[in-house]
Protein backbone atom coordinates (compact mmCIF):
# COMPACT_ATOMS: atom_id res chain seq x y z
CA UNK A 1 0.00 0.00 0.00
CA UNK A 2 1.11 3.58 -0.68
CA UNK A 3 0.85 4.52 3.00
CA UNK A 4 3.40 1.83 3.83
CA UNK A 5 5.85 3.21 1.27
CA UNK A 6 5.51 6.73 2.60
CA UNK A 7 5.96 5.52 6.17
CA UNK A 8 9.10 3.60 5.25
CA UNK A 9 10.63 6.62 3.54
CA UNK A 10 9.82 9.15 6.26
CA UNK A 11 8.58 12.69 5.70
CA UNK A 12 8.16 13.61 2.04
CA UNK A 13 7.78 17.04 0.43
CA UNK A 14 7.36 17.89 -3.25
CA UNK A 15 8.96 21.15 -4.37
CA UNK A 16 6.92 22.86 -7.10
CA UNK A 17 8.59 25.92 -8.69
CA UNK A 18 6.25 28.49 -10.26
CA UNK A 19 6.39 31.50 -12.50
CA UNK A 20 3.07 32.72 -13.92
CA UNK A 21 1.17 29.51 -13.16
CA UNK A 22 -2.03 31.11 -11.83
CA UNK A 23 -4.11 28.92 -14.14
CA UNK A 24 -2.52 25.72 -12.85
CA UNK A 25 -1.28 25.98 -9.28
CA UNK A 26 -4.52 25.26 -7.38
CA UNK A 27 -5.34 22.49 -9.83
CA UNK A 28 -2.01 20.69 -9.53
CA UNK A 29 -1.71 21.13 -5.75
CA UNK A 30 -5.23 19.78 -5.35
CA UNK A 31 -4.40 16.73 -7.45
CA UNK A 32 -1.19 16.12 -5.53
CA UNK A 33 -2.87 16.40 -2.12
CA UNK A 34 -5.65 14.03 -3.26
CA UNK A 35 -3.25 11.48 -4.75
CA UNK A 36 -0.78 11.56 -1.85
CA UNK A 37 -2.44 12.83 1.35
CA UNK A 38 0.65 12.22 3.49
CA UNK A 39 3.00 14.16 1.19
CA UNK A 40 3.63 17.86 1.85
CA UNK A 41 3.91 20.50 -0.87
CA UNK A 42 6.26 23.47 -1.13
CA UNK A 43 5.46 26.04 -3.81
CA UNK A 44 8.50 28.16 -4.69
CA UNK A 45 7.25 31.23 -6.50
CA UNK A 46 9.66 33.54 -8.33
CA UNK A 47 7.64 36.71 -7.92
CA UNK A 48 5.02 35.82 -10.52
CA UNK A 49 3.29 38.97 -11.78
CA UNK A 50 0.10 37.01 -12.54
CA UNK A 51 -0.68 36.42 -8.83
CA UNK A 52 0.47 32.80 -8.57
CA UNK A 53 2.11 33.51 -5.22
CA UNK A 54 -1.09 34.91 -3.75
CA UNK A 55 -3.08 31.88 -4.89
CA UNK A 56 -0.46 29.61 -3.32
CA UNK A 57 -0.70 31.58 -0.06
CA UNK A 58 -4.44 30.94 -0.04
CA UNK A 59 -3.86 27.21 -0.51
CA UNK A 60 -1.38 27.22 2.38
CA UNK A 61 -3.82 29.03 4.66
CA UNK A 62 -6.41 26.34 3.98
CA UNK A 63 -4.06 23.35 4.27
CA UNK A 64 -1.28 22.98 6.83
CA UNK A 65 0.60 20.58 4.52
CA UNK A 66 0.99 23.22 1.81
CA UNK A 67 3.79 25.76 2.16
CA UNK A 68 4.99 28.70 0.08
CA UNK A 69 8.45 30.15 -0.39
CA UNK A 70 8.45 33.57 -2.08
CA UNK A 71 11.45 34.69 -4.09
CA UNK A 72 11.69 38.26 -5.27
CA UNK A 73 12.66 37.64 -8.89
CA UNK A 74 12.81 35.02 -11.60
CA UNK A 75 16.20 33.42 -10.99
CA UNK A 76 15.95 30.23 -13.03
CA UNK A 77 14.67 26.73 -12.44
CA UNK A 78 17.79 25.48 -10.68
CA UNK A 79 17.92 28.45 -8.32
CA UNK A 80 14.28 27.89 -7.36
CA UNK A 81 14.92 24.22 -6.64
CA UNK A 82 18.05 24.97 -4.62
CA UNK A 83 16.04 27.40 -2.48
CA UNK A 84 13.34 24.78 -2.03
CA UNK A 85 15.84 22.05 -1.18
CA UNK A 86 17.44 24.27 1.45
CA UNK A 87 14.04 25.03 2.98
CA UNK A 88 13.16 21.32 3.12
CA UNK A 89 16.51 20.21 4.52
CA UNK A 90 16.27 22.84 7.26
CA UNK A 91 12.88 21.42 8.26
CA UNK A 92 14.01 17.83 8.49
CA UNK A 93 12.32 16.20 5.51
CA UNK A 94 13.61 12.73 4.64
CA UNK A 95 12.60 12.79 0.96
CA UNK A 96 12.57 15.87 -1.24
CA UNK A 97 10.98 15.79 -4.68
CA UNK A 98 10.66 17.88 -7.80
CA UNK A 99 7.69 18.30 -10.10
CA UNK A 100 6.34 20.86 -12.57
CA UNK A 101 3.30 22.99 -11.82
CA UNK A 102 1.71 22.64 -15.26
CA UNK A 103 0.38 19.07 -14.97
CA UNK A 104 3.01 17.48 -17.19
CA UNK A 105 4.12 15.43 -14.18
CA UNK A 106 1.02 13.57 -13.03
CA UNK A 107 0.64 13.39 -9.23
CA UNK A 108 -1.30 10.17 -9.67
CA UNK A 109 1.97 8.52 -10.79
CA UNK A 110 4.03 9.68 -7.82
CA UNK A 111 3.58 6.28 -6.19
CA UNK A 112 5.86 4.83 -8.88
CA UNK A 113 8.65 7.15 -7.76
CA UNK A 114 8.04 6.50 -4.07
CA UNK A 115 8.25 2.75 -4.67
CA UNK A 116 11.41 3.19 -6.75
CA UNK A 117 13.13 5.20 -4.03
CA UNK A 118 12.96 2.24 -1.64
CA UNK A 119 15.95 0.81 -3.52
CA UNK A 120 17.66 4.00 -4.72
CA UNK A 121 19.18 7.30 -3.65
CA UNK A 122 17.61 9.26 -6.51
CA UNK A 123 14.63 8.13 -8.57
CA UNK A 124 13.67 9.76 -11.87
CA UNK A 125 10.28 9.63 -13.56
CA UNK A 126 11.52 8.84 -17.05
CA UNK A 127 9.94 9.38 -20.45
CA UNK A 128 12.51 7.32 -22.30
CA UNK A 129 12.71 3.97 -20.49
CA UNK A 130 10.43 1.09 -21.54
CA UNK A 131 6.90 1.95 -20.45
CA UNK A 132 7.52 5.70 -20.47
CA UNK A 133 5.79 7.99 -22.95
CA UNK A 134 4.89 11.55 -23.88
CA UNK A 135 1.46 12.92 -24.80
CA UNK A 136 0.74 15.79 -27.21
CA UNK A 137 4.35 16.45 -28.19
CA UNK A 138 5.24 17.28 -31.80
CA UNK A 139 7.83 14.93 -33.26
CA UNK A 140 10.39 17.74 -33.37
CA UNK A 141 10.28 18.21 -29.61
CA UNK A 142 10.46 14.48 -28.94
CA UNK A 143 13.44 14.20 -31.28
CA UNK A 144 15.14 17.12 -29.51
CA UNK A 145 14.62 15.54 -26.09
CA UNK A 146 15.69 12.05 -27.15
CA UNK A 147 18.67 13.42 -29.03
CA UNK A 148 19.65 15.69 -26.18
CA UNK A 149 19.59 12.82 -23.71
CA UNK A 150 21.61 10.61 -26.06
CA UNK A 151 24.14 13.41 -26.32
CA UNK A 152 24.29 13.71 -22.52
CA UNK A 153 24.89 9.97 -22.17
CA UNK A 154 27.70 10.03 -24.70
CA UNK A 155 29.28 13.21 -23.36
CA UNK A 156 29.19 12.30 -19.67
CA UNK A 157 29.61 8.55 -20.02
CA UNK A 158 26.46 7.69 -18.07
CA UNK A 159 23.59 5.33 -18.80
CA UNK A 160 20.66 7.41 -17.59
CA UNK A 161 18.00 7.54 -20.31
CA UNK A 162 16.30 10.75 -19.15
CA UNK A 163 18.88 12.87 -17.35
CA UNK A 164 16.99 16.07 -18.20
CA UNK A 165 13.73 14.94 -16.57
CA UNK A 166 12.25 17.07 -13.79
CA UNK A 167 10.01 14.56 -12.01
CA UNK A 168 12.23 13.05 -9.33
CA UNK A 169 12.74 12.19 -5.68
CA UNK A 170 15.94 12.56 -3.67
CA UNK A 171 16.71 11.04 -0.32
CA UNK A 172 17.82 13.66 2.17
CA UNK A 173 21.15 11.86 2.47
CA UNK A 174 21.67 12.20 -1.29
CA UNK A 175 21.29 15.97 -1.27
CA UNK A 176 23.63 16.16 1.71
CA UNK A 177 26.32 14.23 -0.17
CA UNK A 178 26.32 16.04 -3.53
CA UNK A 179 27.49 19.45 -2.30
CA UNK A 180 24.55 21.65 -3.22
CA UNK A 181 26.52 24.68 -2.08
CA UNK A 182 28.81 24.13 -5.08
CA UNK A 183 26.03 23.92 -7.69
CA UNK A 184 26.17 26.88 -10.07
CA UNK A 185 23.81 25.68 -12.82
CA UNK A 186 20.51 27.54 -12.59
CA UNK A 187 18.63 26.69 -15.81
CA UNK A 188 17.58 23.38 -17.32
CA UNK A 189 21.18 22.11 -17.12
CA UNK A 190 20.53 21.85 -13.37
CA UNK A 191 18.73 18.52 -13.77
CA UNK A 192 21.64 16.89 -15.59
CA UNK A 193 24.11 18.41 -13.14
CA UNK A 194 22.42 16.80 -10.13
CA UNK A 195 22.20 13.40 -11.82
CA UNK A 196 25.92 13.52 -12.58
CA UNK A 197 26.76 14.63 -9.04
CA UNK A 198 24.70 11.78 -7.59
CA UNK A 199 26.52 9.23 -9.74
CA UNK A 200 29.91 10.78 -8.96
CA UNK A 201 29.09 10.29 -5.26
CA UNK A 202 28.73 6.54 -5.88
CA UNK A 203 24.99 6.57 -5.26
CA UNK A 204 22.24 4.65 -7.03
CA UNK A 205 19.98 6.33 -9.58
CA UNK A 206 16.83 4.48 -10.59
CA UNK A 207 14.48 5.35 -13.46
CA UNK A 208 10.79 4.47 -13.44
CA UNK A 209 8.49 5.02 -16.42
CA UNK A 210 5.98 7.86 -16.44
CA UNK A 211 3.53 9.33 -18.94
CA UNK A 212 4.54 12.94 -19.52
CA UNK A 213 1.61 15.12 -20.61
CA UNK A 214 2.20 18.43 -22.39
CA UNK A 215 0.58 21.35 -20.60
CA UNK A 216 -2.91 22.38 -21.70
CA UNK A 217 -3.10 25.68 -19.77
CA UNK A 218 -0.65 28.55 -19.63
CA UNK A 219 2.53 29.10 -21.61
CA UNK A 220 5.45 26.69 -21.70
CA UNK A 221 8.78 27.96 -20.39
CA UNK A 222 10.63 25.60 -22.75
CA UNK A 223 11.45 26.55 -26.35
CA UNK A 224 13.85 25.36 -28.99
CA UNK A 225 16.13 28.28 -28.17
CA UNK A 226 16.14 27.40 -24.46
CA UNK A 227 16.84 23.74 -25.26
CA UNK A 228 19.73 24.58 -27.58
CA UNK A 229 21.22 26.98 -25.04
CA UNK A 230 21.00 24.21 -22.44
CA UNK A 231 22.82 21.83 -24.77
CA UNK A 232 25.58 24.40 -25.26
CA UNK A 233 25.99 24.72 -21.51
CA UNK A 234 25.95 20.94 -21.07
CA UNK A 235 28.65 20.67 -23.73
CA UNK A 236 30.98 23.12 -21.99
CA UNK A 237 30.31 21.63 -18.56
CA UNK A 238 30.50 18.04 -19.83
CA UNK A 239 33.80 18.57 -21.59
CA UNK A 240 35.26 19.88 -18.33
CA UNK A 241 33.91 16.81 -16.54
CA UNK A 242 35.43 14.47 -19.12
CA UNK A 243 38.79 16.23 -18.89
CA UNK A 244 38.77 15.84 -15.12
CA UNK A 245 37.93 12.16 -15.52
CA UNK A 246 40.89 11.70 -17.87
CA UNK A 247 43.11 13.28 -15.24
CA UNK A 248 42.07 10.64 -12.71
CA UNK A 249 38.76 11.76 -11.21
CA UNK A 250 36.30 8.83 -10.75
CA UNK A 251 33.74 8.61 -13.55
CA UNK A 252 29.98 8.91 -13.18
CA UNK A 253 29.28 5.69 -15.06
CA UNK A 254 27.68 3.71 -12.25
CA UNK A 255 25.31 1.05 -13.56
CA UNK A 256 21.73 2.24 -14.01
CA UNK A 257 18.85 0.43 -12.36
CA UNK A 258 15.49 0.78 -14.10
CA UNK A 259 12.06 -0.73 -13.59
CA UNK A 260 8.88 -0.98 -15.58
Amino acid sequence: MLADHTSDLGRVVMVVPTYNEAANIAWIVGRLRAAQPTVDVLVVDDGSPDGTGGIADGLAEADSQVHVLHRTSKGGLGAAYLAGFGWALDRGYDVIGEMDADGSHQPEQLQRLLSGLLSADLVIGSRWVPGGSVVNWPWQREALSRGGNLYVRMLLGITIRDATAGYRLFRRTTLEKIHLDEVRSTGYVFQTDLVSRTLHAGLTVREVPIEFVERVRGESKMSGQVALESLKRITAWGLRERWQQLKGRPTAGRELVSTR
Side-chain angles (χ1 to χ4, degrees), residues 15-17 28 77 81 98-105 166-167 212:
V15 180
V16 183
I28 197 65
L77 182 69
Y81 273 129
E98 303 179 12
M99 68 181 297
D100 290 347
D102 60 9
S104 57
H105 300 143
Y167 199 9
F212 181 98

Side-chain angles (χ1 to χ4, degrees), residues 100-203:
D100 290 347
D102 60 9
S104 57
H105 300 143
Q106 300 179 69
E108 296 79 13
Q109 295 184 347
L110 181 55
Q111 181 174 354
R112 301 182 186 184
L113 280 71
L114 290 165
S115 297
L117 196 64
L118 292 171
S119 57
D121 301 294
L122 161 61
V123 64
I124 298 172
S126 177
R127 299 161 291 187
W128 309 130
V129 294
S133 62
V134 296
V135 176
N136 297 329
W137 264 20
W139 69 265
Q140 297 95 331
R141 185 168 178 188
E142 179 171 342
L144 182 63
S145 180
R146 286 184 179 273
N149 274 286
L150 174 61
Y151 181 68
V152 166
R153 291 197 298 276
M154 295 174 62
L155 183 66
L156 300 183
I158 63 177
T159 54
I160 305 301
R161 303 290 301 180
D162 201 353
T164 62
Y167 199 9
R168 49 180 69 182
L169 294 176
F170 295 88
R171 289 185 179 271
R172 174 190 185 86
T173 51
T174 303
L175 293 178
E176 290 174 337
K177 289 178 181 178
I178 61 175
H179 306 294
L180 291 177
D181 58 318
E182 298 177 1
V183 174
R184 297 293 178 264
S185 52
T186 58
Y188 287 90
V189 182
F190 174 81
Q191 306 291 16
T192 303
D193 189 358
L194 263 59
V195 170
S196 181
R197 287 172 179 271
T198 301
L199 292 167
H200 273 307
L203 302 175

